[in-house]
Amino acid sequence: MSILKVQKLVKRFGGLVAIGDLDLDVKEKAIHSVIGPNGAGKTTLFNCITGFYKPEEGDILLSGESLVGKTPDQITHKGIARTYQNIRLFANMPAIENVLVGLHSHLKSGLVGAIFHFPTVKQEENKALTEARRLLRFVGLAGKGDLLAKNLPYGDQRRLEIARALASQPKVLLLDEPTAGMNPQETVEMTRFIQHLRDELGITILLIEHDMKVVMGISETVTVLDYGVKIAEGVPAEIQSNTRVIEAYLGRGVGANVQQQAA
Amino acid sequence: MTEKFQFNWLKAVQIGLIGGAVAVLVSLIGMVEAFNKRDIIAGVITMGQTLLFAIGLSVSYAAASRVGGQDWRAKLASGTLAGLMVASLIVGLVLLGKVINLRPVLVNASPPLFKILTFNQKDTALTIFYMLAAGAVIGLVAGLINSLPPRARRAVIAALLWVSILGLLQELIRITLTPWPQVTKAVSWMFAASKNQKGLSVLGAVVVFVGVGVAHYLWSGWKPTVQTRLGELPPTSQRSLRWGSLFLVAVLLLYLPNLLGPFLSEVATTVGLYILMGLGLNIVVGFAGLLDLGYVAFFAIGAYVMGLLTTTGGELTTSFEWTFWQALPVAVGASVLAGIILGVPVLHIRGDYLAIVTLGFGEIIRILALSDLLKPHIGGSQGIVQVARARIGSIVFGNAQTLYYMILVACLLGAFVALRLKDSRGGRAWMAMREDEDVAQAMGIDLVKTKLMAFAVGAAFSGLSGAIFASKLGTIYPHSFNLLISINALALIIVGGMGSIPGVIVGALALVGLPELLREFDEFRLLVYGGVLVAMMLYRPEGLWPEKTRQRELHAEEDAPTGEPIVELAGVTSAVTSGK
């Protein structure tokens, strides 16, 4: 069953077509990767899904409900969360507060309640703290919650970004190059962690990734974009042997060689 | 010890010349002369001379620490060199003043100034010698201080600072002490003997210097042990200690107007009104990151609504003649409304553009208040007179000493609200928005609501401050609501520390309180502001009392929040408990 559906999506910037007539079908509880050379429109796709860009044509459906025209915060409430290619944490806030902000959409207390500290507000804050601590522990940041986000090491920042995204209790989690800038060891850990996320939490994951080992290792489906157009889609094995994909990445003529090696 | 020592003398000269330029500048703008009327140590050194010495000392100190490296000889040499450079530029100014008359161009290059600079010497050669020698000695002293071991160095610097501060504020101290003649008598040796001389006596200065120096030195040795001892105390006694000190502060705050007397209470009320404004602006700028330069608008609206509703002057077309307490909620409400009205059009404006739009808004309100169009309704340039005073029973909040209590309550209320909001869901949303607006929105924060909320709450504080201001003065004029008030409020939160609530109080005391006490500063207020802001940005951008991040992950474990997680991320809990 598909949870996220992108239908005939078109996004243009002036004369440039960033995404042209894209169809995408993300199955529930899948790990679905989107790959493609630089400038293929992967992050633009993420920005359209999360409401930062308004697509010119087409529709995006989450469990059958259209997301087009909604603001990013409304879309988050519907159950989509994301991380960023270049980490975008709330740098001057402690790690745990970053997660607490992620919980925002599930808390209710307003300013008046905050001033008077109504028992319900206090309870809610305590629960939120408990939950934030749990999430930190879950991503492996137990004990680092009081450090400012900017003071965390790179790998931890990536994990914190995921914890913050998880806090909003998403149905679909969009990860934009989660292993970018990581060493092989960290990459292996992150890959395992993403798998763990899906297996333990049952969250659907849409992944942009450049590291082919990661992509081929954990995805059920891979979609390849080039110049905003889908050029291939299928299980990893199919994609690996797809000549068009290899050409898109490495240029014409190299395709055949790589195919031999893969075989 | 015959190894050759070297130092970057060019750099020392450079630093010294910068200091010299500053010294010449403060002389030529009249600061030295204006400050010369006040003594720091009676009959020995005036405030004007202290200013020059302070420049010399700090510049030589900087040279010694930057150029000197680890070698004490290099420290002394570079300090002396820098001091000489400062002095030589002043010598240059004096010589220039002898050759040509600078006054037509530089009004402040007056005979009294040269008298100060030349130590009142007539003979040119001797003057130059004295001045250069003084510069060199100051530089040498700075170098010496710099080459002391850190603990002693800090003690000496603290002692020097305290001598200057006590010398500056001796008038204030004496006024405070007048109710206790015995105390006044007991400490009279500390201060200048005659009434027209101001400042510490020589003996007083020496005692303060030695006392503070020794106390500081000893304390820096004891501090770690005391702190660990305090930390080892059982939580209950720690708590009672905390409550005890709070109680002491409360008693002091309540008793303060009696201590301060009418003039200083007046200063305290002004500081209080600025604290209130600062607390509000801190929410808008410090928490939410919305740079608002038109903050005075809400202050004005609060004041005008208060004036309009309570005036008994009868010059306006409308007459309500409400009491202060009836008008207060309306005044605050009107400011909140104005905050929201300003907020709506600027929702999508960020950063510099937001600053410019809000700046315009502030001016619009002031010009509207001045306009002929609204003159029949709000008095135009004649303003509104006979604004009601607040009354509770038979108490009239008319003079500074009674108003102090009202403003104190308002400030405490403001600080309480700001503190509570800071650690709430809404406060987190503000800070997330400050850090990254897009990501905050992607985390489910409604930017429209959050921004309007920040503007509204900020405006409420300012409106409250304005309403009390109107009642305090009894009359309001449009020119009371100029841009400078916005700038002051902004400067005090920058100096205090963005986003920090104690910082607002420290900032208001430093930027509003001090200039009121040192009336000589008045002319140079903006210059000093500018200088202080530049220096703050360069050397202490986090402010005097920076915001502390709360320890929430580990510390809060003690509060033992229990109960079910609010977000039923079923998997998270199980994954954690199953020992991931």
Side-chain angles (χ1 to χ4, degrees), chain A residues 76 88 111 115 131 143 145-146, chain B residues 420 436 442 453 552-553 565:
Chain A
T76 306
R88 287 173 79 173
L111 293 188
I115 292 167
E131 184 58 26
D146 291 327
Chain B
R420 279 280 166 90
D436 193 325
M453 215 62 117
R552 302 197 71 174
E553 191 197 0

Side-chain angles (χ1 to χ4, degrees), chain B residues 88-158:
Chain B
S88 59
L89 275 197
I90 300 177
V91 167
L93 173 68
V94 170
L95 291 180
L96 192 67
K98 286 208 190 249
V99 181
I100 43 174
N101 183 11
L102 293 171
R103 286 208 85 173
V105 188
L106 302 161
V107 203
N108 288 307
S110 58
L113 172 70
F114 287 112
K115 250 188 192 170
I116 302 164
L117 295 180
T118 57
F119 305 104
N120 214 357
Q121 287 287 329
K122 295 268 153 32
D123 182 64
T124 316
L126 209 58
T127 308
I128 294 172
F129 172 73
Y130 273 140
M131 289 168 74
L132 290 179
V137 168
I138 289 171
L140 191 67
V141 169
L144 271 173
I145 295 175
N146 191 256
S147 41
L148 286 173
R151 196 172 150 196
R153 188 203 314 158
R154 272 184 226 122
V156 171
I157 292 173

